[in-house]
Amino acid sequence: MTENKGSYLKTYMGNKVDPLSVKAEDITLEDIAHALSLMCRGNGQVVHFYSVGQHCINCAKEAKARGWNERLQLGCLLHDAAEAYMSDLITPIKVYMPQYYEIEDKFLKAVYEKFGLADLTEEEWNMIMEVDRALLTYDLVELLKEPVPDEGYQVVRIPDIDFRPFEEVEKEYKDLAETLLKN
């Protein structure tokens, strides 16, 4: 992909980010927390507003409940951070758009570099995705009224999926990230 001359994303914090050549210095915790707290999971097809930010907080808390270290908890908190810069598409559409995955991967690499996770191992990434899938299953049942899978829920703790104002989610996301980054 080539550089996107003259076209950029203006972020909440006022940065101008070229989506095709994003760098770690373009990324801010404030932009991520704000944007994800305002984005609804499931493309809005849920019983009530439930933000991507709240989902990510639940993922980090699930990692903690599993006894995982702060590094993995932070990885879980940030796993959808690329969406703060490029939004999201539902998977049935995304699979037909390989360039979307390329751009998403660039953003996530920049995010993980920014927050000291650029060296995540494949095993660590798989653990993060395991938590994401477990929470997705819970979300599908509780927020989209899908049937409970035969194997039941794969979560250790029941996530908070109640409606929460975006300001609360934004603050909790930032506070949790800052706590995990100190350790």
Side-chain angles (χ1 to χ4, degrees):
M1 283 186 264
T2 60
E3 193 169 328
N4 200 9
K5 303 239 185 258
S7 183
Y8 58 84
L9 165 70
K10 178 88 178 245
T11 71
Y12 174 69
M13 294 302 294
N15 296 329
K16 293 180 180 178
V17 179
D18 180 343
L20 299 184
S21 63
V22 63
K23 299 176 262 339
E25 56 264 22
D26 296 331
I27 305 300
T28 70
L29 179 57
E30 293 79 12
D31 283 333
I32 294 168
H34 183 75
L36 294 185
S37 70
L38 290 168
M39 290 182 180
C40 191
R41 288 276 288 167
N43 202 39
Q45 301 298 324
V46 289
V47 296
H48 63 80
F49 183 79
Y50 174 65
S51 72
V52 175
Q54 191 172 348
H55 161 76
C56 292
I57 291 166
N58 282 329
C59 286
K61 289 179 177 181
E62 175 71 16
K64 183 176 183 175
R66 291 176 182 215
W68 296 357
N69 62 32
E70 287 85 3
R71 174 182 167 86
L72 285 168
Q73 292 172 45
L74 182 61
C76 285
L77 183 66
L78 295 169
H79 81 279
D80 280 337
E83 294 176 23
Y85 297 93
M86 59 184 292
S87 197
D88 195 18
L89 294 172
I90 58 172
T91 301
I93 294 174
K94 241 192 300 195
V95 296
Y96 293 103
M97 304 176 77
Q99 287 182 320
Y100 179 92
Y101 285 113
E102 291 175 31
I103 297 168
E104 181 180 50
D105 188 54
K106 285 182 182 185
F107 270 104
L108 195 54
K109 283 181 179 174
V111 166
Y112 278 2
E113 180 182 335
K114 172 76 175 202
F115 297 106
L117 298 174
D119 61 343
L120 278 175
T121 66
E122 185 176 340
E123 179 183 358
E124 288 172 316
W125 179 248
N126 289 337
M127 292 169 74
I128 292 166
M129 290 296 94
E130 176 185 322
V131 164
D132 185 42
R133 285 188 297 276
L135 271 284
L136 172 61
T137 300
Y138 191 89
D139 293 353
L140 287 171
V141 173
E142 298 299 324
L143 294 166
L144 291 167
K145 301 305 178 196
E146 289 284 324
V148 177
D150 292 339
E151 66 275 7
Y153 295 125
Q154 301 299 309
V155 293
V156 173
R157 65 175 289 282
I158 301 299
D160 171 17
I161 61 166
D162 291 338
F163 170 79
R164 293 182 57 201
F166 86 90
E167 298 92 346
E168 285 180 17
V169 173
E170 180 177 5
K171 181 178 181 341
E172 184 177 358
Y173 190 104
K174 284 193 306 191
D175 290 348
L176 181 55
E178 288 168 356
T179 297
L180 293 171
L181 285 164
K182 288 178 187 172
N183 296 326

